[in-house]
């Protein structure tokens, strides 16, 4: 397997879901399955969203309830320094939004 569909996430032993923050306020998902990182697709296309709130609502139905927002910093690149891999990565725990969180 090289990718998984969003609607099929509950069929796999997903240990965590990573929401990667990209430039321009876009987010893409990856699922950690058996130690491997797999991109999440929806209807055959890479799942991309600009609305983190609606994404958190959709994640409420996932069996896996471990979610991380991955934010990389380009600080070193902006200063002309070599790119560092994991030292500039933040892993922020996020929670899904169920109906009980709606006002």
């Amino acid at each position: 397997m090289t990718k998984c569909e969003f609607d099929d996430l509950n069929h796999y032993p997903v240990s965590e879901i990573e929401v990667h923050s990209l430039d321009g306020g876009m987010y893409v998902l990856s699922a950690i399955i058996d130690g491997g990182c797999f991109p999440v697709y929806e209807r055959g296309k890479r799942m991309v969203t600009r609305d983190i709130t609606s994404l958190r609502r959709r994640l409420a139905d996932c069996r896996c309830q471990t979610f991380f927002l991955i934010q990389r910093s380009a600080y070193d690149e902006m200063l002309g320094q070599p790119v560092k891999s994991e030292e500039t990565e933040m892993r922020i725990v996020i929670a899904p939004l169920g109906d009980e969180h709606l006002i």
Side-chain angles (χ1 to χ4, degrees), residues 4-18:
C4 60
E5 286 283 329
F6 183 81
D7 292 336
D8 296 333
L9 284 175
N10 285 334
H11 298 129
Y12 297 105
V14 178
S15 60
E16 66 184 56
I17 294 176
E18 296 180 338

Side-chain angles (χ1 to χ4, degrees), residues 3-47:
K3 63 181 181 178
C4 60
E5 286 283 329
F6 183 81
D7 292 336
D8 296 333
L9 284 175
N10 285 334
H11 298 129
Y12 297 105
V14 178
S15 60
E16 66 184 56
I17 294 176
E18 296 180 338
V19 180
H20 299 270
S21 175
L22 305 177
D23 289 338
M26 296 186 341
Y27 303 92
V28 296
L29 268 66
S30 296
I32 307 300
I33 303 170
D34 293 328
C37 185
F38 300 93
V40 176
Y41 284 71
E42 187 166 47
R43 294 185 289 273
K45 293 184 178 180
R46 183 72 194 259
M47 188 172 179

Side-chain angles (χ1 to χ4, degrees), residues 52-86:
I52 191 78
T53 303
S54 67
L55 176 62
R56 289 175 63 200
R57 283 191 191 109
R58 292 186 68 194
L59 290 173
D61 294 330
C62 288
R63 262 190 344 207
C64 170
Q65 290 293 298
T66 306
F67 308 104
F68 291 97
L69 175 66
I70 308 297
Q71 177 69 51
R72 298 187 192 273
S73 172
Y75 180 77
D76 290 328
E77 292 177 60
M78 292 186 296
L79 296 175
Q81 300 297 316
V83 178
K84 296 177 185 172
S85 60
E86 294 184 24

